[in-house]
Amino acid sequence: KFCMQNRYLTLTGPTRAVVVVDPVFFEVDLRVKGRTESEDRALSYLVVSCRDSGCRESYMFKRVETSKLSTVELTLADMAESVEATISVRVVDGEWPEGFGGLISARTASISDMEIKLLAFDKLPVAADGTIQLSRCVLSVEADGMLRVSVMAMANCLKDQTVEGDSKAFTAREASRSMRMLEVGSCKLEVTIAWSLVPAMV
């Protein structure tokens, strides 16, 4: 959904880390959904190229690109010497506070002001085995860096009124898994991160 009061769109991908091989292309294809697919209307379509900056430190930057239909601002982060973190979250005990929405997010220590939304919800979507289906589950983290995963319960998602929250930091690895527990009220969430090297491009 796209609201004019909130012009930021939440990405649900990528499902693997993006490796910069000069150049790498990002395709933006935005449509306004109609009642049927034939009634969908194009909002923006463009292709943006990015090249390796050669910088040895991670940094965040913005790009403003214009198509025939609209202007889009992209916020990107270039992660130096990174590994891939695949995140999964599972309810292991208790219940999410009744009547509360919430937010599960993550950020790296090096770019702490760039929060990545993993899932925003009005009602926590939990499978029979306790697994929570995240909207996004893969991030890049510097090989010698830290990743912080946070969960917040909110009384009113529109006003971002935080009631209670918890967060834990994970030290990056080249392989294996890391597991920590987050607690919101009586609800205990098991956060597991599977670490792997960023796939090389041939």
Side-chain angles (χ1 to χ4, degrees), residues 156-189:
N156 188 324
C157 291
L158 294 178
K159 295 182 180 180
D160 291 333
Q161 295 177 347
T162 302
V163 173
E164 189 173 353
D166 194 7
S167 68
K168 292 291 188 304
F170 297 78
T171 301
R173 302 179 179 180
E174 291 187 353
S176 191
R177 294 173 181 263
S178 303
M179 190 273 288
R180 302 289 297 274
M181 300 295 296
L182 298 179
E183 297 185 20
V184 178
S186 66
C187 188
K188 295 183 179 180
L189 305 173

Side-chain angles (χ1 to χ4, degrees), residues 11-32:
L11 299 180
T12 57
T15 57
R16 297 302 303 268
V18 177
V19 181
V20 178
V21 177
D22 282 349
V24 62
F25 295 95
F26 294 94
E27 181 178 348
V28 179
D29 186 3
L30 302 177
R31 297 177 180 273
V32 179

Side-chain angles (χ1 to χ4, degrees), residues 103-155:
L103 173 67
I104 302 174
S105 63
R107 66 184 69 208
T108 62
S110 59
I111 310 179
S112 59
D113 58 345
M114 186 176 185
E115 179 184 57
I116 305 297
K117 292 183 180 181
L118 305 178
L119 178 67
F121 56 90
D122 295 322
K123 182 179 180 180
L124 184 65
V126 184
D129 63 352
T131 301
I132 299 172
Q133 185 65 44
L134 301 177
S135 300
R136 179 173 179 175
C137 62
V138 175
L139 286 84
S140 294
V141 185
E142 289 130 317
D144 60 351
M146 301 280 291
L147 178 69
R148 179 169 291 276
V149 178
S150 303
V151 59
M152 295 184 294
M154 292 176 283

Side-chain angles (χ1 to χ4, degrees), residues 26-104:
F26 294 94
E27 181 178 348
V28 179
D29 186 3
L30 302 177
R31 297 177 180 273
V32 179
K33 289 189 65 65
R35 288 175 296 180
T36 64
E37 186 175 345
S38 62
E39 294 180 343
D40 291 355
R41 292 186 297 127
L43 176 63
S44 182
Y45 180 78
L46 54 88
V47 176
V48 180
S49 64
C50 289
R51 294 185 177 277
D52 186 0
S53 66
C55 184
R56 295 182 177 273
E57 295 184 359
S58 300
Y59 67 99
M60 183 176 66
F61 63 99
K62 295 184 178 182
R63 291 272 301 271
V64 177
E65 302 288 342
T66 301
S67 68
K68 292 182 179 179
L69 300 174
S70 62
T71 298
V72 177
E73 180 185 82
L74 303 175
T75 302
L76 306 167
D78 189 348
M79 306 298 294
E81 298 182 5
S82 62
V83 294
E84 187 177 87
T86 302
I87 304 169
S88 60
V89 182
R90 185 168 65 95
V91 177
V92 294
D93 191 26
E95 295 183 355
W96 187 259
E98 185 176 356
F100 291 87
L103 173 67
I104 302 174

